[in-house]
Amino acid sequence: MKLLIIFGLALTTASAFQIASRSVVVPLLDLEGRITNGDKAEPGQFPYQVGLNLKINPLVSAWCGGSLIGSQWVLTAAHCTDGVQSVTVYLGATVRTEAEVNYTVSTDNIIIHSDWDSRAVRNDISLIRIPEVEFSDNIKAVRLPSLAKAYSNYAGDYVIASGWGKTSDKATAVTDDLQWARMQVITNSRCQSTFGNIVTSSNVCVDTTGGVSTCNGDSGGPLVLESDGIQIGLTSFGSSAGCAKGRPAAFTRLTSYLDWIKTNTGIAY
């Protein structure tokens, strides 16, 4: 089986330090995340996009993405929020830290799926509660799938991923400008040919032919249907060979977690 890389965290330390990448190595897995060969986003193009600065310790922080799913709730990956001390949430930003609104919240406001398994990359999903935000042209909640779509595999559909992750495998830091990429969903069986049984029914995968993919720092960010803007996934993992190598990228499939989201937030679709 090929090694995996969880589309992970890009570390940012105090201002005197450079933004770098963070890896958590476990058997067969290298926890990391990334958009390569994408396009620069325009202000207001992705009003649901959230940036997350996650404090690991007093000197070190990590960067991830997320999505606004309600006026008080942000959706992201469990591997982003696992073990953090606090998180600063950036809303309405196109330039990474020039947000229209930002909040810093404690771990009391983070809900990680109780069955999150970092070794098997299972249930890679978490929620962050924030003070109620007022919607604007640059800040709006994304729509989630309906229960009627719970059995859709989306294979063949075109999707959009967005984030501030690294823009190439050679990059040493996340980008300042929000990026996006258009990709096509593939079957899980095709994805399993690269990743084996790590890919389950609670994942959705995309083709990255031409090196168009997510990358380090895009973790937790949204994957939405091009046709209607409904979020169907969040960035989880990909190949340790690199973001731009044409290997599939895998996302947490949101239709597997609609009940969990409703139970914890009251948001139903």
Side-chain angles (χ1 to χ4, degrees):
M1 180 188 297
K2 306 232 178 11
L3 295 181
L4 305 181
I5 181 170
I6 289 187
F7 279 133
L9 315 180
L11 292 188
T12 173
T13 61
S15 59
F17 297 90
Q18 183 185 26
I19 295 174
S21 61
R22 175 197 187 196
S23 291
V24 181
V25 179
V26 294
L28 293 181
L29 298 174
D30 183 10
L31 302 190
E32 277 202 35
R34 333 171 205 194
I35 285 181
T36 57
N37 299 306
D39 296 295
K40 184 177 175 179
E42 298 295 328
Q45 186 175 0
F46 303 106
Y48 50 79
Q49 177 73 47
V50 174
L52 302 175
N53 191 358
L54 303 129
K55 182 176 286 188
I56 307 302
N57 62 48
L59 293 178
V60 180
S61 296
W63 185 266
C64 270
S67 57
L68 187 67
I69 62 170
S71 61
Q72 291 184 284
W73 291 99
V74 170
L75 186 67
T76 189
H79 77 263
C80 287
T81 56
D82 194 0
V84 304
Q85 295 182 350
S86 65
V87 56
T88 299
V89 178
Y90 295 89
L91 302 161
T94 303
V95 178
R96 187 164 56 87
T97 55
E98 295 181 9
E100 189 170 301
V101 177
N102 67 75
Y103 301 111
T104 298
V105 299
S106 68
T107 55
D108 292 340
N109 295 288
I110 297 173
I111 303 172
I112 297 175
H113 197 287
S114 59
D115 292 325
W116 158 237
D117 184 340
S118 62
R119 294 176 68 88
V121 204
R122 297 282 194 274
N123 305 305
D124 191 11
I125 189 170
S126 66
L127 290 159
I128 302 170
R129 183 190 299 108
I130 59 173
E132 188 167 5
V133 65
E134 184 176 344
F135 292 162
S136 68
D137 288 344
N138 296 323
I139 302 174
K140 295 178 182 177
V142 71
R143 289 188 297 156
L144 298 184
S146 66
L147 285 173
K149 293 290 187 180
Y151 297 102
S152 175
N153 64 15
Y154 300 108
D157 288 344
Y158 284 93
V159 287
I160 304 293
S162 51
W164 287 274
K166 296 197 310 184
T167 56
S168 74
D169 286 321
K170 294 181 180 180
T172 59
V174 294
T175 183
D176 286 332
D177 297 313
L178 182 62
Q179 304 286 310
W180 65 277
R182 178 179 186 260
M183 298 170 287
Q184 189 172 28
V185 177
I186 60 175
T187 64
N188 276 19
S189 59
R190 179 177 163 192
C191 199
Q192 286 171 337
S193 68
T194 295
F195 299 123
N197 292 334
I198 291 293
V199 173
T200 70
S201 60
S202 61
N203 294 116
V204 59
C205 297
V206 300
D207 179 76
T208 68
T209 299
V212 178
S213 183
T214 43
C215 207
N216 294 20
D218 289 324
S219 287
L223 183 75
V224 304
L225 290 171
E226 182 184 51
S227 59
D228 56 18
I230 290 175
Q231 183 177 352
I232 65 168
L234 61 86
T235 305
S236 185
F237 65 86
S239 173
S240 62
C243 303
K245 301 299 184 182
R247 309 280 174 79
F251 299 75
T252 301
R253 182 185 294 268
L254 295 193
T255 52
S256 297
Y257 298 97
L258 294 175
D259 286 342
W260 180 82
I261 292 170
K262 180 181 179 180
T263 297
N264 286 285
T265 68
I267 296 172
Y269 289 84

